[in-house]
Amino acid sequence: MKEVRILRQVNVIVSGRVQGVGFRVFTQQLAVENEIVGWVRNLDDGSVEIEAQGHDMMMEKFLKQLNKGPSFFAKVKNMEVTEKEVTHSFQKFDIK
């Protein structure tokens, strides 16, 4: 039986100690490793926003790793994941 690959798009707001600790670069590396496309950017309130698109199994892995954070210095306190309708296909994963 062939594996069904469902394309997902999510918006993620990550809060905690996530700016100035390499979180955006970490997110981009995770995205590339997990075949996720989209973007990541810092928000004015100190949180980080991610728009990510990828196949279901890879997205789950990406979100779990994201929740751990990149290093001792980063601390993810909360991750708000919102499922979105897949509207268009991103070409790569960008840091904004």
Side-chain angles (χ1 to χ4, degrees):
M1 188 161 169
K2 192 175 178 185
E3 177 189 348
V4 177
R5 293 174 56 120
I6 299 168
L7 190 62
R8 288 173 64 190
Q9 185 166 333
V10 297
N11 180 271
V12 185
I13 303 292
V14 185
S15 56
R17 193 182 320 134
V18 292
Q19 288 190 15
V21 291
F23 198 86
R24 288 178 302 158
V25 172
F26 166 75
T27 301
Q28 184 182 47
Q29 289 170 340
L30 271 185
V32 170
E33 288 170 16
N34 290 290
E35 300 172 22
I36 302 293
V37 292
W39 50 261
V40 59
R41 69 179 173 187
N42 284 341
L43 297 178
D44 292 340
D45 66 0
S47 62
V48 170
E49 180 180 21
I50 302 155
E51 190 76 19
Q53 190 180 84
H55 291 286
D56 193 36
M57 298 291 285
M58 300 307 271
M59 184 66 75
E60 282 305 312
K61 190 175 166 193
F62 172 72
L63 292 172
K64 280 182 185 158
Q65 292 171 311
L66 198 58
N67 197 32
K68 292 179 183 172
S71 67
F72 174 76
F73 299 107
K75 182 163 178 54
V76 175
K77 285 190 179 171
N78 189 46
M79 240 176 65
E80 191 177 310
V81 180
T82 307
E83 295 285 336
K84 297 186 77 177
E85 186 178 332
V86 178
T87 52
H88 68 283
S89 189
F90 297 99
Q91 300 303 307
K92 58 183 181 163
F93 197 92
D94 292 312
I95 296 175
K96 291 189 171 188

